[in-house]
Amino acid sequence: MPNERFPFSAFNFEVQLSIVGAEALGLSTPLCSAEFAECEGLEKTMEPKTVREGGYNTRQIHLVGPVSYGNLTLKRGMTSSIDLWTWFDLATGNTTKRGLLAQGVVLMLDAARHKVLRFALTNCLPIKVKAAALNAKDGMVAVEELQLAYESFTVARDSGAMPENRI
């Protein structure tokens, strides 16, 4: 059982995006070999329904309402791999692959790099891909960005090794 007293480090994570039949589309599996430096947007928000009962002016009842999800923003050092760009073009273009979805997993790792938490994202759709800002005077690493919309996600403790067929 993991030690639940110590918080995780924000730099210990892996991201895996898988597309069914990726090789036939010229894409690698997982996309970009999970080489992301930043991951942001794992969030759920519930909008409560508020009801007021007649005669009770000092209170209101909150009922569970619809749940919405954030957009996942992933950033990585730009390389010669164009998998993210190809996926975006396939998913948004006028082809038979329009709307091509991926399944995603974000894994939190502990200090010993053991997988301890799993965020499983369903039906990820690329909504923005952005090249690095190019500026010769800065001398910084070129960073590209991918933004995904996802239908939902679940979070669970991870037992350690991840079977290949779970993505």
Side-chain angles (χ1 to χ4, degrees):
M1 180 170 204
N3 189 338
E4 295 179 4
R5 294 182 13 197
F6 300 107
F8 300 123
S9 299
F11 62 84
N12 262 340
F13 68 94
E14 291 179 13
V15 178
Q16 298 176 0
L17 298 171
S18 288
I19 296 174
V20 175
E23 293 82 12
L25 300 169
L27 300 171
S28 58
T29 299
L31 291 177
C32 303
S33 301
E35 296 165 347
F36 295 100
E38 292 183 41
C39 175
E40 185 178 330
L42 291 168
E43 61 183 81
K44 296 180 181 186
T45 304
M46 189 269 299
E47 184 180 324
K49 297 287 185 184
T50 304
V51 179
R52 292 198 175 266
E53 281 189 74
Y56 291 103
N57 295 328
T58 59
R59 73 175 203 175
Q60 53 190 355
I61 299 170
H62 297 288
L63 303 174
V64 175
V67 175
S68 61
Y69 298 89
N71 291 331
L72 192 70
T73 302
L74 301 169
K75 295 181 183 180
R76 72 181 199 124
M78 198 164 189
T79 67
S80 61
S81 169
I82 59 169
D83 282 349
L84 299 178
W85 298 88
T86 303
W87 178 34
F88 186 88
D89 289 344
L90 287 169
T92 60
N94 291 325
T95 68
T96 58
K97 298 298 178 190
R98 184 173 176 85
L100 182 63
L101 301 174
Q103 305 308 311
V105 174
V106 178
L107 296 164
M108 290 291 301
L109 310 174
D110 64 12
R113 307 255 328 137
H114 296 112
K115 299 169 185 171
V116 289
L117 282 182
R118 165 188 300 273
F119 296 87
L121 290 77
T122 59
N123 297 334
C124 303
L125 182 68
I127 57 174
K128 179 180 181 180
V129 63
K130 181 179 173 183
L134 304 175
N135 187 339
K137 71 177 185 171
D138 285 343
M140 303 293 289
V141 170
V143 175
E144 67 183 340
E145 179 179 317
L146 173 68
Q147 209 170 82
L148 303 172
Y150 52 91
E151 286 185 10
S152 66
F153 76 84
T154 58
V155 61
R157 287 195 175 109
D158 198 281
S159 61
M162 188 170 81
E164 294 299 319
N165 60 356
R166 287 201 39 197
I167 297 181

